[in-house]
Amino acid sequence: MTDRAPYRITGRTGEWELVLGLEVHAQVASHAKLFSGAGVGFGAAPNQQVSLVDAGFPGMLPVINRFCVEQAIRTGLGLRAKVNLVSRFDRKNYFYPDLPQGYQISQFKDPIIGEGVLVVERNDGSTFEVGIERLHLEQDAGKLLHDQEPNLTYVDLNRSGVALMEIVSRPDMRSPEDAAAYVKTLRQLVRYLGTCDGDMEKGNLRADVNVSVRKPGDPLGTRCEIKNVNSMRYIQQAIVYEARRQVEILEDGGVIHQETRLFDAGKGETRSMRSKEDAHDYRYFPDPDLLPLVLDPAWVKEIEATLPELPDAKRARLQSQYGLSAYDAGVLVSDAERAAYFETAAAGRDAKLVANFVTNELLSHLSKDGLEFDQSPIPASDIASLVELIETNVISSKIAKEVFERMWAGEGAPAAIVEAQGLRQVTDTGAIEAAIDAIIAANPDKAAAVKDKPQALGWFVGQVMKATGGKANPAAVNEILRSRLGMTDPA
Ligand code: MN
């Protein structure tokens, strides 16, 4: 839909195209694990949230957590994907010290969610679609702690068995920015749905990036997977580094070996972790401890009825209902609280003015203080009152910014600040005329020249504003100046 130039890497032999697909692991916003009742709170002391199931004790039986299943269905519906009424859990067998069962319970052939699509929004407001291949439920593994003692490694099983939704995209992305925009949009979606908190710093949402390169028009190249990249910036850095590495190998006549790589954020490079296993290496088989997961279609319908307005629909509605630009609507919709704040403030007011205050003044003050919208010291109703003061010509938009600063500093409601500080706009034409006459009298040559040089009017406007402390009504100033200087109205 846009005429943006395609992203290319230029090598010695010409231009290369990137092909990118992502596997995102999103931790289900559940208080208990996928197959046990153990807690999942962040920051608990090691091994304090481990049941016998999570520790892989023999004879323990997993029991599926209904809440986690519901969150997977919600997410699938949000991705406009097919909900599979029958799905199965499989054992993915591998050995690793943080995996006491010796296998991960995952879903292989029959995932709970099938194909869907995500409309991704770029920073500039333009959009593109990414195909979703599947979403399945699986357990997280534990964690090895290498930094407790020099010669020992400890195992923390708090994360063992935590419910993850693995969301697999089609290889539909062609640039590092688009891959980051995909993760950002997906994160926004799960946060709207409430199915994952999207906290990438805590590892609650992490991306594996599949990268391959090819000459434009060629068939797909061999891909490498970069594991567990946990910020939008790192995703882009990792992709650029990895794509350049592959281009160099190919241009030197080498071949790319399918493998799993790690991104070293400190060095800004990827390095080999292990050669990539194919699915058959894991010897998947249906977990005999778990029955197929059969969903009641009526339950799926019930869940569907509780979905909130999704970000793309909200974005479109804000544009049409309030006449906002795609960019402003995108900024406001980026989280649900921000959009709600805007809509509360905009009710019955000039929505564009409200959007300006919310996306400029308020947003920059909040981010400077590291606050979220629901922590704003200024209630939405005060933004509405501030805008009302502009609409009713009590203050100019310029003075409104000063009032906003005082509101932020906790000086009270906008109308009270305007009265206390004497910021009311001067609409009394007598006062404005007096100021204008004084300035004209003091600058006769400028006043004479302005008839031939109408753009010099701005200088007079500036002087009047200065003389009135910025409080003169700009429309009145313009009108009186034009008449006093003998300028004919261009209209
Ligand atoms: Mn996985």
Side-chain angles (χ1 to χ4, degrees):
M1 296 272 220
T2 55
D3 42 13
R4 53 183 39 243
Y7 182 90
R8 294 284 186 259
I9 283 186
T10 309
R12 294 193 311 275
T13 62
E15 307 246 284
W16 295 81
E17 180 183 42
L18 273 59
V19 177
L20 309 166
L22 277 86
E23 293 163 23
V24 169
H25 286 90
Q27 181 176 325
V28 178
S30 160
H31 297 301
K33 295 185 179 179
L34 183 55
F35 297 111
S36 85
V40 302
F42 183 80
N47 297 311
Q48 294 307 297
Q49 300 184 324
V50 187
S51 78
L52 296 174
V53 175
D54 313 318
F57 273 51
M60 292 298 116
L61 289 175
V63 178
I64 186 80
N65 177 337
R66 181 186 167 96
F67 180 80
C68 293
V69 173
E70 183 179 338
Q71 304 319 302
I73 297 169
R74 269 176 87 74
T75 308
L77 292 169
L79 291 165
R80 295 176 177 81
K82 182 168 178 280
V83 177
N84 292 322
L85 296 178
V86 179
S87 66
R88 285 181 182 77
F89 287 101
D90 299 278
R91 290 186 179 180
K92 182 182 184 181
N93 299 282
Y94 66 95
F95 175 80
Y96 206 67
D98 65 7
L99 188 76
Q101 289 171 152
Y103 57 84
Q104 175 193 34
I105 305 179
S106 181
Q107 297 192 297
F108 181 48
K109 276 212 184 72
D110 303 302
I112 184 167
I113 303 295
E115 292 188 347
V117 66
L118 185 65
V119 178
V120 176
E121 194 203 5
R122 298 188 181 96
N123 285 337
D124 64 5
S126 66
T127 58
F128 64 101
E129 287 187 359
V130 174
I132 302 295
E133 194 177 298
R134 57 188 279 152
L135 175 157
H136 64 254
L137 279 167
E138 64 181 27
Q139 301 174 298
D140 204 350
K143 194 170 142 192
L144 296 181
L145 307 173
H146 301 290
D147 55 0
Q148 308 290 307
E149 278 198 41
N151 301 314
L152 290 173
T153 291
Y154 288 91
V155 184
D156 175 8
L157 294 179
N158 281 352
R159 255 179 28 197
S160 172
V162 165
L164 303 176
M165 299 180 282
E166 178 173 334
I167 303 159
V168 183
S169 86
R170 299 258 175 229
D172 285 350
M173 287 147 280
R174 295 289 178 272
S175 75
E177 294 76 22
D178 281 1
Y182 166 78
V183 175
K184 203 170 158 191
T185 304
L186 186 58
R187 176 174 178 272
Q188 181 186 55
L189 178 70
V190 293
R191 284 167 57 93
Y192 261 74
L193 294 166
T195 57
C196 166
D197 70 12
D199 192 332
M200 297 183 82
E201 275 176 32
K202 290 184 184 154
N204 295 350
L205 190 138
R206 42 198 205 256
D208 301 342
V209 191
N210 286 295
V211 181
S212 66
V213 298
R214 65 178 175 190
K215 287 285 174 70
D218 277 5
L220 288 176
T222 303
R223 66 191 163 91
C224 288
E225 181 186 22
I226 313 164
K227 279 301 247 188
N228 287 340
V229 197
N230 68 351
S231 85
M232 311 296 172
R233 195 159 60 91
Y234 291 162
I235 287 170
Q236 299 183 63
Q237 284 178 358
I239 290 171
V240 171
Y241 178 88
E242 177 58 19
R244 292 218 172 105
R245 187 188 73 86
Q246 293 184 15
V247 165
E248 263 177 44
I249 291 173
L250 293 170
E251 294 195 327
D252 286 343
V255 287
I256 304 298
H257 298 285
Q258 185 175 325
E259 62 179 356
T260 301
R261 301 179 66 86
L262 274 182
F263 178 64
D264 182 331
K267 293 188 179 141
E269 57 187 45
T270 65
R271 61 167 187 272
S272 186
M273 187 178 161
R274 55 172 189 253
S275 68
K276 173 71 181 176
E277 299 80 0
D278 279 316
H280 60 253
D281 294 324
Y282 289 111
R283 297 290 188 272
Y284 280 99
F285 68 90
D287 191 311
D289 290 339
L290 289 158
L291 289 167
L293 182 60
V294 180
L295 306 177
D296 179 353
W299 187 43
V300 176
K301 280 237 149 44
E302 243 173 70
I303 296 170
E304 191 164 18
T306 67
L307 289 194
E309 182 182 29
L310 297 179
D312 53 350
K314 198 185 280 281
R315 194 159 53 231
R317 182 174 62 77
L318 291 197
Q319 283 181 253
S320 63
Q321 183 176 339
Y322 299 101
L324 301 182
S325 67
Y327 175 80
D328 278 350
V331 171
L332 291 169
V333 165
S334 72
D335 77 71
E337 264 122 34
R338 191 183 291 189
Y341 186 101
F342 163 76
E343 292 209 77
T344 306
R349 297 269 72 88
D350 182 325
K352 283 188 192 171
L353 276 178
V354 172
N356 280 343
F357 271 99
V358 173
T359 59
N360 298 322
E361 271 71 27
L362 185 58
L363 194 54
S364 64
H365 281 74
L366 287 171
S367 70
K368 213 171 6 179
D369 287 11
L371 297 174
E372 300 292 331
F373 260 76
D374 53 3
Q375 301 169 305
S376 168
I378 299 179
S381 56
D382 277 1
I383 297 290
S385 313
L386 180 64
V387 167
E388 189 178 6
L389 293 174
I390 303 173
E391 287 178 67
T392 51
N393 287 319
V394 175
I395 54 174
S396 66
S397 344
K398 198 161 160 243
I399 291 291
K401 288 188 184 166
E402 185 186 334
V403 176
F404 178 89
E405 294 295 334
R406 293 179 177 275
M407 288 160 67
W408 184 264
E411 291 184 24
I417 292 171
V418 168
E419 292 317 319
Q421 301 297 324
L423 295 172
R424 197 171 263 279
Q425 183 160 255
V426 178
T427 40
D428 165 13
T429 47
I432 296 173
E433 276 165 8
I436 287 175
D437 290 343
I439 291 162
I440 291 176
N443 300 278
D445 16 332
K446 282 208 169 79
V450 80
K451 277 172 219 128
D452 305 318
K453 235 178 96 193
Q455 62 273 34
L457 183 68
W459 181 85
F460 281 96
V461 175
Q463 294 301 305
V464 179
M465 290 317 240
K466 214 160 125 190
T468 57
K471 289 180 288 181
N473 179 318
V477 171
N478 258 290
E479 201 186 308
I480 300 167
L481 263 177
R482 284 179 177 282
S483 112
R484 281 291 205 275
L485 292 168
M487 297 170 77
T488 44
D489 202 311

